[in-house]
Amino acid sequence: MKVLVINCGSSSLKYQLIDSETEIALAVGICERIGQDVSVLKHTPNGGEKVVKETSMKNHEVAIQMVLDALTDADHGVIKSLDEIGAVGHRVVHGGEKFAVSSIITDEVIKAIEDCNDLAPLHNPANLIGIRACANLMKGVPMVAVFDTAFHQTMPPKSYLYGLPFDYYDEYKIRKYGFHGTSHSFVSKRMAEFAGLDLENSKIIVCHLGNGASISAVLNGKSIDTSMGFTPLSGLVMGTRSGDIDPSIIEFISKKQNKSLDEIMNLLNKGSGIQGMSEVSSDFRDINEAMDNGNEKARLAFDVFVYRVAKFIGGYVAAMNGVDAIAFTAGVGENDHKVRAEVCEYLGYLGVNIDLDKNMTRGKEVMLTTPDSKVKVAIVPTNEELAIARETVALL
Ligand code: AMP
């Protein structure tokens, strides 16, 4: 079956058409600046040249129509007719406590996703726009929602509750949810296979280190803890997000600089992290270059990032009473050998021993540890679109 995977943001829409039998992405693309005067569609058929089209996409329905046109185009299309699309898999950011697994999309499911809008006001409404637009344009094609939060719904209360009065959980469902669940699920399963572990009897730590970054503790195939929380702002220091800070800092900044809550939240989400600390960039390629040129703030930002990753790993080893394997994934985890090497330097107490030559690998699945290492460490590339396509097919 051919599955169209849609990841809809407020002004962008990423897509892949995946053949579920071969697991090959027949086409990948993105619509950017939806709703603005000039929008862009970038469409790359498998093995073909990237096609870039500048046009106006006044809303997501227009964008999806353009995607469908590109997929069936005589020149750069990959299917003859839309009838070949057997299903659509939608990435949905927040499923709250309602969704512990993916769901076939019905009116009730749409309503339940809507009920979670409060928890992800920037993301869920955009995801719903994508779902409704596809429903209008592809009548009768089954659709599945795959939630970023679902994999972490197995966390026990001692892991997901904050030290707040219980009422805040009861009344408003304020708790840790965790994100990047599709990636943590995909990578932990693959890590078990790759390391020759029985998933049902394994202790795996997944380090999803990208522009957004999170770590999870996966015990016997189930997430028992993760570093992101009520929102994707907490945990690790990220590209532009602060990660964990003392909440009192918010009040302090507000008084010192007379900033509103919105301004401070914007600062914590978009002006902090690696970008804010280094004053160079949120991108680790730039940070590495700046470090090579002796930039001390870049080095400091890098050190803070690595130290935080190492501490979360240590915490999750304690939570699981051990660890069999650690996986590095996403943009930084798959590509930045220095991050991996320096994190692993902190893990000597676990008997982690990596082969520094193998660690120079970029973006490919590879076991980094030497045969005598007590814990296996590997690069396991994530593939959230493929995971969504698999979930979609499995459900249907
Ligand atoms: P993601 O959010 O998973 O797409 O990751 C994007 C981030 O990966 C970028 O912002 C960079 O910090 C990082 N990244 C990508 N390629 C490299 C590379 N070759 N070396 C170091 N970091 C990289």
Side-chain angles (χ1 to χ4, degrees), residues 152-182:
H152 300 301
Q153 277 297 303
T154 45
M155 287 188 293
K158 67 180 173 188
S159 150
Y160 70 67
L161 279 181
Y162 291 119
L164 292 170
F166 197 80
D167 256 8
Y168 286 91
Y169 170 64
D170 240 7
E171 182 74 19
Y172 302 111
K173 295 287 170 247
I174 296 178
R175 49 160 285 178
K176 177 190 286 196
Y177 290 98
F179 298 86
H180 293 143
T182 313

PDB file of all heavy atoms in Angstrom, residues 152-182:
ATOM      1  N   HIS A 152       4.969   7.693  25.191  1.00  0.00           N
ATOM      2  CA  HIS A 152       5.342   7.965  26.584  1.00  0.00           C
ATOM      3  C   HIS A 152       4.182   7.783  27.564  1.00  0.00           C
ATOM      4  O   HIS A 152       4.355   8.011  28.768  1.00  0.00           O
ATOM      5  CB  HIS A 152       5.897   9.383  26.704  1.00  0.00           C
ATOM      6  CG  HIS A 152       7.115   9.635  25.865  1.00  0.00           C
ATOM      7  ND1 HIS A 152       8.279   8.900  26.003  1.00  0.00           N
ATOM      8  CD2 HIS A 152       7.353  10.514  24.864  1.00  0.00           C
ATOM      9  CE1 HIS A 152       9.174   9.337  25.130  1.00  0.00           C
ATOM     10  NE2 HIS A 152       8.642  10.304  24.422  1.00  0.00           N
ATOM     11  N   GLN A 153       3.019   7.364  27.048  1.00  0.00           N
ATOM     12  CA  GLN A 153       1.875   7.183  27.947  1.00  0.00           C
ATOM     13  C   GLN A 153       2.057   5.997  28.896  1.00  0.00           C
ATOM     14  O   GLN A 153       1.262   5.796  29.796  1.00  0.00           O
ATOM     15  CB  GLN A 153       0.572   7.047  27.141  1.00  0.00           C
ATOM     16  CG  GLN A 153      -0.024   8.397  26.728  1.00  0.00           C
ATOM     17  CD  GLN A 153      -0.439   9.250  27.917  1.00  0.00           C
ATOM     18  OE1 GLN A 153      -1.225   8.832  28.739  1.00  0.00           O
ATOM     19  NE2 GLN A 153       0.125  10.449  28.017  1.00  0.00           N
ATOM     20  N   THR A 154       3.124   5.221  28.689  1.00  0.00           N
ATOM     21  CA  THR A 154       3.393   4.108  29.619  1.00  0.00           C
ATOM     22  C   THR A 154       4.179   4.568  30.855  1.00  0.00           C
ATOM     23  O   THR A 154       4.446   3.764  31.744  1.00  0.00           O
ATOM     24  CB  THR A 154       4.198   3.008  28.896  1.00  0.00           C
ATOM     25  OG1 THR A 154       5.247   3.645  28.150  1.00  0.00           O
ATOM     26  CG2 THR A 154       3.331   2.207  27.951  1.00  0.00           C
ATOM     27  N   MET A 155       4.547   5.853  30.902  1.00  0.00           N
ATOM     28  CA  MET A 155       5.286   6.334  32.080  1.00  0.00           C
ATOM     29  C   MET A 155       4.426   6.163  33.336  1.00  0.00           C
ATOM     30  O   MET A 155       3.227   6.453  33.312  1.00  0.00           O
ATOM     31  CB  MET A 155       5.627   7.830  31.934  1.00  0.00           C
ATOM     32  CG  MET A 155       6.710   8.127  30.927  1.00  0.00           C
ATOM     33  SD  MET A 155       7.228   9.860  30.968  1.00  0.00           S
ATOM     34  CE  MET A 155       5.778  10.702  30.382  1.00  0.00           C
ATOM     35  N   PRO A 156       5.022   5.715  34.432  1.00  0.00           N
ATOM     36  CA  PRO A 156       4.235   5.596  35.663  1.00  0.00           C
ATOM     37  C   PRO A 156       4.041   6.969  36.323  1.00  0.00           C
ATOM     38  O   PRO A 156       4.808   7.890  36.058  1.00  0.00           O
ATOM     39  CB  PRO A 156       5.111   4.701  36.548  1.00  0.00           C
ATOM     40  CG  PRO A 156       6.505   4.946  36.075  1.00  0.00           C
ATOM     41  CD  PRO A 156       6.413   5.251  34.602  1.00  0.00           C
ATOM     42  N   PRO A 157       3.035   7.090  37.194  1.00  0.00           N
ATOM     43  CA  PRO A 157       2.777   8.401  37.833  1.00  0.00           C
ATOM     44  C   PRO A 157       4.007   8.981  38.528  1.00  0.00           C
ATOM     45  O   PRO A 157       4.213  10.191  38.490  1.00  0.00           O
ATOM     46  CB  PRO A 157       1.660   8.092  38.837  1.00  0.00           C
ATOM     47  CG  PRO A 157       0.967   6.908  38.269  1.00  0.00           C
ATOM     48  CD  PRO A 157       2.016   6.096  37.563  1.00  0.00           C
ATOM     49  N   LYS A 158       4.849   8.135  39.131  1.00  0.00           N
ATOM     50  CA  LYS A 158       6.002   8.707  39.855  1.00  0.00           C
ATOM     51  C   LYS A 158       6.940   9.421  38.883  1.00  0.00           C
ATOM     52  O   LYS A 158       7.735  10.260  39.282  1.00  0.00           O
ATOM     53  CB  LYS A 158       6.754   7.623  40.641  1.00  0.00           C
ATOM     54  CG  LYS A 158       7.456   6.585  39.794  1.00  0.00           C
ATOM     55  CD  LYS A 158       8.164   5.566  40.661  1.00  0.00           C
ATOM     56  CE  LYS A 158       8.715   4.447  39.799  1.00  0.00           C
ATOM     57  NZ  LYS A 158       9.240   3.337  40.564  1.00  0.00           N
ATOM     58  N   SER A 159       6.854   9.080  37.618  1.00  0.00           N
ATOM     59  CA  SER A 159       7.699   9.726  36.634  1.00  0.00           C
ATOM     60  C   SER A 159       7.006  10.934  35.996  1.00  0.00           C
ATOM     61  O   SER A 159       7.645  11.926  35.683  1.00  0.00           O
ATOM     62  CB  SER A 159       8.105   8.657  35.616  1.00  0.00           C
ATOM     63  OG  SER A 159       8.305   9.172  34.364  1.00  0.00           O
ATOM     64  N   TYR A 160       5.684  10.866  35.835  1.00  0.00           N
ATOM     65  CA  TYR A 160       5.042  11.969  35.109  1.00  0.00           C
ATOM     66  C   TYR A 160       4.451  13.059  35.985  1.00  0.00           C
ATOM     67  O   TYR A 160       4.082  14.114  35.489  1.00  0.00           O
ATOM     68  CB  TYR A 160       4.025  11.474  34.082  1.00  0.00           C
ATOM     69  CG  TYR A 160       2.736  10.846  34.574  1.00  0.00           C
ATOM     70  CD1 TYR A 160       1.774  11.591  35.244  1.00  0.00           C
ATOM     71  CD2 TYR A 160       2.459   9.503  34.301  1.00  0.00           C
ATOM     72  CE1 TYR A 160       0.579  11.027  35.663  1.00  0.00           C
ATOM     73  CE2 TYR A 160       1.269   8.925  34.698  1.00  0.00           C
ATOM     74  CZ  TYR A 160       0.328   9.682  35.385  1.00  0.00           C
ATOM     75  OH  TYR A 160      -0.844   9.131  35.787  1.00  0.00           O
ATOM     76  N   LEU A 161       4.339  12.825  37.295  1.00  0.00           N
ATOM     77  CA  LEU A 161       3.739  13.875  38.130  1.00  0.00           C
ATOM     78  C   LEU A 161       4.769  14.912  38.543  1.00  0.00           C
ATOM     79  O   LEU A 161       5.916  14.579  38.865  1.00  0.00           O
ATOM     80  CB  LEU A 161       3.124  13.259  39.389  1.00  0.00           C
ATOM     81  CG  LEU A 161       1.746  12.632  39.231  1.00  0.00           C
ATOM     82  CD1 LEU A 161       1.267  12.099  40.583  1.00  0.00           C
ATOM     83  CD2 LEU A 161       0.732  13.632  38.677  1.00  0.00           C
ATOM     84  N   TYR A 162       4.371  16.165  38.519  1.00  0.00           N
ATOM     85  CA  TYR A 162       5.211  17.246  39.033  1.00  0.00           C
ATOM     86  C   TYR A 162       4.886  17.463  40.517  1.00  0.00           C
ATOM     87  O   TYR A 162       3.807  17.071  40.980  1.00  0.00           O
ATOM     88  CB  TYR A 162       4.940  18.550  38.263  1.00  0.00           C
ATOM     89  CG  TYR A 162       5.423  18.527  36.827  1.00  0.00           C
ATOM     90  CD1 TYR A 162       4.536  18.687  35.766  1.00  0.00           C
ATOM     91  CD2 TYR A 162       6.771  18.367  36.533  1.00  0.00           C
ATOM     92  CE1 TYR A 162       4.981  18.681  34.447  1.00  0.00           C
ATOM     93  CE2 TYR A 162       7.223  18.363  35.215  1.00  0.00           C
ATOM     94  CZ  TYR A 162       6.328  18.516  34.177  1.00  0.00           C
ATOM     95  OH  TYR A 162       6.770  18.510  32.890  1.00  0.00           O
ATOM     96  N   GLY A 163       5.816  18.105  41.201  1.00  0.00           N
ATOM     97  CA  GLY A 163       5.597  18.373  42.630  1.00  0.00           C
ATOM     98  C   GLY A 163       4.673  19.551  42.865  1.00  0.00           C
ATOM     99  O   GLY A 163       5.013  20.483  43.596  1.00  0.00           O
ATOM    100  N   LEU A 164       3.514  19.507  42.231  1.00  0.00           N
ATOM    101  CA  LEU A 164       2.510  20.572  42.377  1.00  0.00           C
ATOM    102  C   LEU A 164       1.332  20.013  43.171  1.00  0.00           C
ATOM    103  O   LEU A 164       1.172  18.800  43.273  1.00  0.00           O
ATOM    104  CB  LEU A 164       1.994  20.995  40.987  1.00  0.00           C
ATOM    105  CG  LEU A 164       2.970  21.719  40.073  1.00  0.00           C
ATOM    106  CD1 LEU A 164       2.389  21.835  38.660  1.00  0.00           C
ATOM    107  CD2 LEU A 164       3.294  23.105  40.623  1.00  0.00           C
ATOM    108  N   PRO A 165       0.485  20.887  43.725  1.00  0.00           N
ATOM    109  CA  PRO A 165      -0.730  20.365  44.370  1.00  0.00           C
ATOM    110  C   PRO A 165      -1.473  19.446  43.404  1.00  0.00           C
ATOM    111  O   PRO A 165      -1.573  19.755  42.210  1.00  0.00           O
ATOM    112  CB  PRO A 165      -1.538  21.635  44.662  1.00  0.00           C
ATOM    113  CG  PRO A 165      -0.527  22.721  44.721  1.00  0.00           C
ATOM    114  CD  PRO A 165       0.559  22.344  43.761  1.00  0.00           C
ATOM    115  N   PHE A 166      -2.000  18.334  43.909  1.00  0.00           N
ATOM    116  CA  PHE A 166      -2.566  17.288  43.054  1.00  0.00           C
ATOM    117  C   PHE A 166      -3.699  17.804  42.168  1.00  0.00           C
ATOM    118  O   PHE A 166      -3.900  17.328  41.052  1.00  0.00           O
ATOM    119  CB  PHE A 166      -3.052  16.108  43.906  1.00  0.00           C
ATOM    120  CG  PHE A 166      -3.260  14.871  43.087  1.00  0.00           C
ATOM    121  CD1 PHE A 166      -2.184  14.065  42.732  1.00  0.00           C
ATOM    122  CD2 PHE A 166      -4.519  14.524  42.622  1.00  0.00           C
ATOM    123  CE1 PHE A 166      -2.364  12.940  41.945  1.00  0.00           C
ATOM    124  CE2 PHE A 166      -4.703  13.397  41.828  1.00  0.00           C
ATOM    125  CZ  PHE A 166      -3.625  12.608  41.490  1.00  0.00           C
ATOM    126  N   ASP A 167      -4.386  18.811  42.706  1.00  0.00           N
ATOM    127  CA  ASP A 167      -5.490  19.428  41.952  1.00  0.00           C
ATOM    128  C   ASP A 167      -5.096  19.843  40.533  1.00  0.00           C
ATOM    129  O   ASP A 167      -5.925  19.800  39.633  1.00  0.00           O
ATOM    130  CB  ASP A 167      -5.918  20.711  42.671  1.00  0.00           C
ATOM    131  CG  ASP A 167      -7.208  20.470  43.419  1.00  0.00           C
ATOM    132  OD1 ASP A 167      -7.625  19.291  43.474  1.00  0.00           O
ATOM    133  OD2 ASP A 167      -7.774  21.450  43.935  1.00  0.00           O
ATOM    134  N   TYR A 168      -3.846  20.299  40.382  1.00  0.00           N
ATOM    135  CA  TYR A 168      -3.431  20.793  39.060  1.00  0.00           C
ATOM    136  C   TYR A 168      -3.369  19.659  38.037  1.00  0.00           C
ATOM    137  O   TYR A 168      -3.544  19.868  36.847  1.00  0.00           O
ATOM    138  CB  TYR A 168      -2.087  21.534  39.149  1.00  0.00           C
ATOM    139  CG  TYR A 168      -2.247  22.885  39.790  1.00  0.00           C
ATOM    140  CD1 TYR A 168      -2.099  23.034  41.166  1.00  0.00           C
ATOM    141  CD2 TYR A 168      -2.590  23.986  39.027  1.00  0.00           C
ATOM    142  CE1 TYR A 168      -2.281  24.255  41.762  1.00  0.00           C
ATOM    143  CE2 TYR A 168      -2.778  25.226  39.622  1.00  0.00           C
ATOM    144  CZ  TYR A 168      -2.621  25.356  40.985  1.00  0.00           C
ATOM    145  OH  TYR A 168      -2.812  26.569  41.573  1.00  0.00           O
ATOM    146  N   TYR A 169      -3.088  18.466  38.547  1.00  0.00           N
ATOM    147  CA  TYR A 169      -3.144  17.307  37.658  1.00  0.00           C
ATOM    148  C   TYR A 169      -4.600  16.924  37.408  1.00  0.00           C
ATOM    149  O   TYR A 169      -5.045  16.757  36.267  1.00  0.00           O
ATOM    150  CB  TYR A 169      -2.358  16.132  38.252  1.00  0.00           C
ATOM    151  CG  TYR A 169      -2.601  14.855  37.487  1.00  0.00           C
ATOM    152  CD1 TYR A 169      -2.213  14.743  36.150  1.00  0.00           C
ATOM    153  CD2 TYR A 169      -3.267  13.779  38.072  1.00  0.00           C
ATOM    154  CE1 TYR A 169      -2.476  13.599  35.419  1.00  0.00           C
ATOM    155  CE2 TYR A 169      -3.531  12.629  37.350  1.00  0.00           C
ATOM    156  CZ  TYR A 169      -3.135  12.537  36.030  1.00  0.00           C
ATOM    157  OH  TYR A 169      -3.406  11.419  35.304  1.00  0.00           O
ATOM    158  N   ASP A 170      -5.349  16.845  38.508  1.00  0.00           N
ATOM    159  CA  ASP A 170      -6.746  16.421  38.436  1.00  0.00           C
ATOM    160  C   ASP A 170      -7.570  17.335  37.530  1.00  0.00           C
ATOM    161  O   ASP A 170      -8.284  16.879  36.636  1.00  0.00           O
ATOM    162  CB  ASP A 170      -7.341  16.516  39.849  1.00  0.00           C
ATOM    163  CG  ASP A 170      -7.825  15.175  40.323  1.00  0.00           C
ATOM    164  OD1 ASP A 170      -7.575  14.184  39.612  1.00  0.00           O
ATOM    165  OD2 ASP A 170      -8.447  15.126  41.395  1.00  0.00           O
ATOM    166  N   GLU A 171      -7.409  18.623  37.756  1.00  0.00           N
ATOM    167  CA  GLU A 171      -8.260  19.612  37.098  1.00  0.00           C
ATOM    168  C   GLU A 171      -7.786  19.933  35.674  1.00  0.00           C
ATOM    169  O   GLU A 171      -8.569  20.016  34.748  1.00  0.00           O
ATOM    170  CB  GLU A 171      -8.244  20.880  37.962  1.00  0.00           C
ATOM    171  CG  GLU A 171      -9.105  22.018  37.464  1.00  0.00           C
ATOM    172  CD  GLU A 171     -10.587  21.764  37.690  1.00  0.00           C
ATOM    173  OE1 GLU A 171     -10.920  20.907  38.519  1.00  0.00           O
ATOM    174  OE2 GLU A 171     -11.402  22.412  36.981  1.00  0.00           O
ATOM    175  N   TYR A 172      -6.459  20.109  35.535  1.00  0.00           N
ATOM    176  CA  TYR A 172      -5.941  20.629  34.253  1.00  0.00           C
ATOM    177  C   TYR A 172      -5.046  19.640  33.513  1.00  0.00           C
ATOM    178  O   TYR A 172      -4.516  19.957  32.469  1.00  0.00           O
ATOM    179  CB  TYR A 172      -5.147  21.921  34.494  1.00  0.00           C
ATOM    180  CG  TYR A 172      -5.936  23.006  35.167  1.00  0.00           C
ATOM    181  CD1 TYR A 172      -5.632  23.392  36.470  1.00  0.00           C
ATOM    182  CD2 TYR A 172      -6.969  23.638  34.499  1.00  0.00           C
ATOM    183  CE1 TYR A 172      -6.347  24.389  37.101  1.00  0.00           C
ATOM    184  CE2 TYR A 172      -7.698  24.643  35.124  1.00  0.00           C
ATOM    185  CZ  TYR A 172      -7.378  25.017  36.424  1.00  0.00           C
ATOM    186  OH  TYR A 172      -8.093  26.001  37.027  1.00  0.00           O
ATOM    187  N   LYS A 173      -4.832  18.472  34.120  1.00  0.00           N
ATOM    188  CA  LYS A 173      -3.955  17.448  33.499  1.00  0.00           C
ATOM    189  C   LYS A 173      -2.529  17.982  33.292  1.00  0.00           C
ATOM    190  O   LYS A 173      -1.875  17.684  32.284  1.00  0.00           O
ATOM    191  CB  LYS A 173      -4.532  16.949  32.162  1.00  0.00           C
ATOM    192  CG  LYS A 173      -5.846  16.195  32.335  1.00  0.00           C
ATOM    193  CD  LYS A 173      -5.601  14.837  32.937  1.00  0.00           C
ATOM    194  CE  LYS A 173      -6.869  14.119  33.364  1.00  0.00           C
ATOM    195  NZ  LYS A 173      -7.042  13.912  34.776  1.00  0.00           N
ATOM    196  N   ILE A 174      -2.081  18.798  34.248  1.00  0.00           N
ATOM    197  CA  ILE A 174      -0.688  19.261  34.195  1.00  0.00           C
ATOM    198  C   ILE A 174       0.196  18.108  34.669  1.00  0.00           C
ATOM    199  O   ILE A 174       0.098  17.662  35.831  1.00  0.00           O
ATOM    200  CB  ILE A 174      -0.479  20.511  35.074  1.00  0.00           C
ATOM    201  CG1 ILE A 174      -1.304  21.671  34.522  1.00  0.00           C
ATOM    202  CG2 ILE A 174       1.013  20.875  35.129  1.00  0.00           C
ATOM    203  CD1 ILE A 174      -1.209  22.945  35.330  1.00  0.00           C
ATOM    204  N   ARG A 175       1.013  17.601  33.780  1.00  0.00           N
ATOM    205  CA  ARG A 175       1.876  16.454  34.046  1.00  0.00           C
ATOM    206  C   ARG A 175       2.912  16.386  32.935  1.00  0.00           C
ATOM    207  O   ARG A 175       2.841  17.136  31.961  1.00  0.00           O
ATOM    208  CB  ARG A 175       1.064  15.141  34.046  1.00  0.00           C
ATOM    209  CG  ARG A 175       0.152  14.981  32.838  1.00  0.00           C
ATOM    210  CD  ARG A 175      -0.249  13.553  32.582  1.00  0.00           C
ATOM    211  NE  ARG A 175       0.870  12.827  32.001  1.00  0.00           N
ATOM    212  CZ  ARG A 175       0.863  11.536  31.696  1.00  0.00           C
ATOM    213  NH1 ARG A 175      -0.204  10.806  31.940  1.00  0.00           N
ATOM    214  NH2 ARG A 175       1.918  10.954  31.145  1.00  0.00           N
ATOM    215  N   LYS A 176       3.865  15.507  33.095  1.00  0.00           N
ATOM    216  CA  LYS A 176       4.810  15.293  32.006  1.00  0.00           C
ATOM    217  C   LYS A 176       4.138  14.429  30.924  1.00  0.00           C
ATOM    218  O   LYS A 176       3.507  13.420  31.245  1.00  0.00           O
ATOM    219  CB  LYS A 176       6.047  14.569  32.549  1.00  0.00           C
ATOM    220  CG  LYS A 176       7.058  14.238  31.487  1.00  0.00           C
ATOM    221  CD  LYS A 176       8.138  13.316  32.016  1.00  0.00           C
ATOM    222  CE  LYS A 176       9.086  14.079  32.908  1.00  0.00           C
ATOM    223  NZ  LYS A 176      10.339  13.329  33.142  1.00  0.00           N
ATOM    224  N   TYR A 177       4.241  14.844  29.672  1.00  0.00           N
ATOM    225  CA  TYR A 177       3.738  14.021  28.563  1.00  0.00           C
ATOM    226  C   TYR A 177       4.887  13.430  27.746  1.00  0.00           C
ATOM    227  O   TYR A 177       4.868  12.264  27.397  1.00  0.00           O
ATOM    228  CB  TYR A 177       2.820  14.844  27.640  1.00  0.00           C
ATOM    229  CG  TYR A 177       1.505  15.176  28.301  1.00  0.00           C
ATOM    230  CD1 TYR A 177       1.304  16.420  28.901  1.00  0.00           C
ATOM    231  CD2 TYR A 177       0.485  14.241  28.370  1.00  0.00           C
ATOM    232  CE1 TYR A 177       0.099  16.715  29.528  1.00  0.00           C
ATOM    233  CE2 TYR A 177      -0.717  14.529  28.998  1.00  0.00           C
ATOM    234  CZ  TYR A 177      -0.900  15.769  29.571  1.00  0.00           C
ATOM    235  OH  TYR A 177      -2.083  16.054  30.209  1.00  0.00           O
ATOM    236  N   GLY A 178       5.908  14.269  27.492  1.00  0.00           N
ATOM    237  CA  GLY A 178       7.009  13.796  26.650  1.00  0.00           C
ATOM    238  C   GLY A 178       6.634  13.909  25.180  1.00  0.00           C
ATOM    239  O   GLY A 178       5.452  13.863  24.823  1.00  0.00           O
ATOM    240  N   PHE A 179       7.647  14.081  24.339  1.00  0.00           N
ATOM    241  CA  PHE A 179       7.429  14.251  22.889  1.00  0.00           C
ATOM    242  C   PHE A 179       8.445  13.409  22.120  1.00  0.00           C
ATOM    243  O   PHE A 179       9.170  12.633  22.727  1.00  0.00           O
ATOM    244  CB  PHE A 179       7.520  15.744  22.535  1.00  0.00           C
ATOM    245  CG  PHE A 179       6.445  16.533  23.237  1.00  0.00           C
ATOM    246  CD1 PHE A 179       6.653  17.013  24.535  1.00  0.00           C
ATOM    247  CD2 PHE A 179       5.209  16.726  22.654  1.00  0.00           C
ATOM    248  CE1 PHE A 179       5.646  17.686  25.216  1.00  0.00           C
ATOM    249  CE2 PHE A 179       4.197  17.401  23.334  1.00  0.00           C
ATOM    250  CZ  PHE A 179       4.423  17.881  24.611  1.00  0.00           C
ATOM    251  N   HIS A 180       8.471  13.577  20.810  1.00  0.00           N
ATOM    252  CA  HIS A 180       9.341  12.760  19.932  1.00  0.00           C
ATOM    253  C   HIS A 180       9.046  11.275  20.113  1.00  0.00           C
ATOM    254  O   HIS A 180       9.909  10.428  19.855  1.00  0.00           O
ATOM    255  CB  HIS A 180      10.851  12.958  20.254  1.00  0.00           C
ATOM    256  CG  HIS A 180      11.395  14.310  19.950  1.00  0.00           C
ATOM    257  ND1 HIS A 180      12.341  14.920  20.763  1.00  0.00           N
ATOM    258  CD2 HIS A 180      11.154  15.162  18.929  1.00  0.00           C
ATOM    259  CE1 HIS A 180      12.645  16.104  20.246  1.00  0.00           C
ATOM    260  NE2 HIS A 180      11.948  16.280  19.143  1.00  0.00           N
ATOM    261  N   GLY A 181       7.814  10.945  20.553  1.00  0.00           N
ATOM    262  CA  GLY A 181       7.524   9.548  20.891  1.00  0.00           C
ATOM    263  C   GLY A 181       7.685   8.590  19.716  1.00  0.00           C
ATOM    264  O   GLY A 181       8.164   7.465  19.889  1.00  0.00           O
ATOM    265  N   THR A 182       7.308   9.062  18.511  1.00  0.00           N
ATOM    266  CA  THR A 182       7.422   8.184  17.336  1.00  0.00           C
ATOM    267  C   THR A 182       8.884   7.820  17.114  1.00  0.00           C
ATOM    268  O   THR A 182       9.216   6.683  16.791  1.00  0.00           O
ATOM    269  CB  THR A 182       6.852   8.905  16.089  1.00  0.00           C
ATOM    270  OG1 THR A 182       5.599   9.474  16.448  1.00  0.00           O
ATOM    271  CG2 THR A 182       6.669   7.970  14.933  1.00  0.00           C
TER     272      THR A 182
END
